[in-house]
Amino acid sequence: MNVINARLRGKDGLYRIVLDGERIAAIDLQPGPFTPARDDIDAAQNLVTPPFIEPHIHLDATLTAGEPRWNMSGTLFEGIECWAERKALTTHEDIKTRAKKTLGMLVDHGIQFVRTHVDVTDPNLTALKAMVEVRDEVRHLVDLQIVAFPQEGIESYANGRGLMTEAVAIGADVVGGIPHFENTREHGVASVEFLMDLAERSGCLVDVHCDETDDAQSRFLEVLAEQARVRGMGARVTASHTVAMGSYDNAYCYKLFRLLKQADINFVSCPTESIHLQGRFDTFPKRRGVTRVAELDRAGLNVCFGQDSIVDPWYPLGNGNILRILEAGLHICHMLGYEDIQRSLDLVTVNSARTLNLGERYGLEVGRPANLLVLSAPDDYEMIRSQGQALVSVRGGKVLMRRTPAQVQRFA
Ligand code: FE2
């Protein structure tokens, strides 16, 4: 199968991408537009990119908003209360059904790689055991990374360390954490040291919910970064949210960024979720409660966007479309300058791939897996401006999803 008349990001001209089974066999510059043959996919001079990536979602909680009650205040804290009530009702099959339905929504929007956090503050590890089965059952749709996520803490939850260790033994790919939620700062620091030990010992990656609060005194990012620096694990470590950084003063950030560059860890921002949940204790002026995405990017640090929630106690909306998050994030993070827009797809493709440590399993290069998207516009700017979509998703050399764009008829 060939994909013809493709524009590639950062390159002039049109390309033909030759797929041989599950691999990319060749990428050739065309002398001009080609007429499609029977089995060709015609990109029609639009962008062809590697698949979109969802680097941060909670598949065990999706599609539960309103069960048993709605989050009326819209705060993170009422969300945690609602989830505690819903969590008591979850079953193995309930989690698998909702996770698969949500993954279908992601696939429909061109996503083929997903990192899901799964709550392991549960003596039975019900959600984790279900998600390990889901990971196997959806391999033809997505590569799924599972984070052992201690929603109610490691040091502050009964047998928290034991549950994290058991989750890794059962098959979690990534070790999580939530140091700002631990009962004391000391517990927070201890939790980071514990989870980094566990990751180093087991070979797991690390992705910590870090400083997801407007409290400018929440400073666990420096603890995580220093642990990563000392252990030389930066490329394998991700700090998610870090929204307190939006409240840090510039003098502290000046010092912090020096450490972040030395540690060279990855960042995930979930701008729609954060703008909704944070700033809730402010009157006016009201903080945005989002991390310094543009500043991290300009400092050369790796940062990407995630959805976090789809219709759950923390966020009532969402449809699986990561481009909706990208457009909102560019607005929220003051990144609508031309240069930022023109490379904005990095935030949902290559940057996310680096966060997930996908290496040579990702990217449009000869010899790599035949996974790609045909988009509806010729460049990043037009994708954002026109609210473009993924039109075709190819996985392992086969068409996984095809979208027919809406047709508009005008009569005058
Ligand atoms: Fe999260």
Side-chain angles (χ1 to χ4, degrees), residues 274-301:
S274 293
I275 201 92
H276 167 60
L277 290 176
Q278 305 301 325
R280 292 285 177 165
F281 293 96
D282 293 356
T283 53
F284 289 93
K286 194 185 282 283
R287 287 171 288 181
R288 295 180 177 216
V290 179
T291 196
R292 301 190 183 202
V293 174
E295 291 75 12
L296 289 167
D297 180 60
R298 277 164 204 149
L301 290 154

Side-chain angles (χ1 to χ4, degrees), residues 28-41:
D28 303 322
L29 180 64
Q30 298 177 193
F34 284 172
T35 304
R38 190 164 169 275
D39 290 338
D40 286 345
I41 296 173

